[in-house]
Amino acid sequence: MAPKIINVDPAAFDQADLQPAVDKILAGELVAFPTETVYGLGANALDGDAVRHIYQVKGRPPGNPLIVHVSSIEQAKSVTSEWPEVAQQMAEQFWPGPLTMVLPKADSVPDIVTAGLDTVAVRFPAHPIARALIEMAGTPLAAPSANRYTGISPTTAQHVIRSLGDQLDMVIDGGPTDVGLESTVVSLVGPPHVLRPGMVDLDDLSEVAAVEPHNDRLYVEDEAAASPGMARKHYAPSARVVITSPSMRQVLNTKLVGILRLAGGPPILDAFVIDMPSDPDGYARQLYDALHRCDEQGCEYIVIEPPPKNTRWDAIWNRIRRAASSEESSE
Ligand code: AMP
Ligand code: MG
């Protein structure tokens, strides 16, 4: 069955617009909703049965913990059992916003949310619809990205509907998301370290505290131990992805190639060319939509022109490397 779609303008809406979604959440059901990073598939984080549906709908293995979304620092404290000074400082600097912190969990958080870990990932999102939904529900929301497991995260309601539409009751359409990549995940258990790079980058974080950079290899080799959701097969489109110059299109002996191009240039024969923004914020905002569009076009390959290599582009490199890993594309 097609889901009910609620159109909400993030810049001008009434609480009444969100009431049907709040009712659903409080009835233990799921609602897909926009955050500033990507669209989330939300359930009451304190209701283990509701959270179980999230795993079923996404086809996500139970070993992948979910992020708990809150609408205040007070509420973040209520799902954690320790709130160190560094968490307070990070929250004051980056919340509401695209930063997730991993901390020791409170007993009130069901084990299914954290995949049995004694830590919980918590984020206070900036998106006005996400904030209002959590506030009105009066409960934190567990919400992974609203796509099938291993697919590309959704940055529009249309992406959500294409990936999960037949399994969802309700989708809040608040237009395209602003950040476009999943949140930065920082563990504050032990010395602070990045579990997943995001658009709050190392330079931003180091204004508050010394934070160890993300170790990509750790997750490839021992992903289950540290940050289960960082499985390699995340962020993969159906097409095979190669990070190389658009001029390599000639050697790809296939019918249709998608090209994410940075430097611009003339049209390319038998290619579906997308000219990407040259600034990291703009690029991040459009990356997943570009990958979704290549898949929709039926591209067999996607050529991604290598972006600059500096801290501002770390999260983008992390996602395109994952998309390009041959193991991801082989399933
Ligand atoms: P997603 O829900 O798809 O945005 O992914 C959630 C991410 O949060 C996962 O990829 C994990 O890296 C991270 N995460 C969630 N909970 C924990 C936790 N308790 N410990 C470490 N990482 C976590
Ligand atoms: Mg995801």
Side-chain angles (χ1 to χ4, degrees), residues 3 47 80 88 114 121 131 149 158 168 177 193 214 232 243 256 259 278 316-318:
D47 178 345
T80 55
Q88 182 66 26
T114 63
R131 290 179 67 164
Y149 180 63
Q158 289 68 41
L168 296 181
T177 63
H193 55 286
H214 168 67
R232 306 198 215 196
I243 305 172
L256 186 62
I259 300 181
S278 54
I316 291 162
W317 269 103
N318 172 268

Side-chain angles (χ1 to χ4, degrees), residues 58 60 144-145 147 153 182 234-235:
K58 277 185 66 89
R60 180 166 170 138
S145 53
N147 56 280
S153 289
E182 300 83 353
H234 263 60
Y235 321 114

Side-chain angles (χ1 to χ4, degrees), residues 8 47 56 67 81 83 101 140 162 228 265 282:
V8 180
D47 178 345
Q56 285 161 356
I67 294 173
S81 62
W83 189 258
M101 298 193 275
R162 248 176 259 131

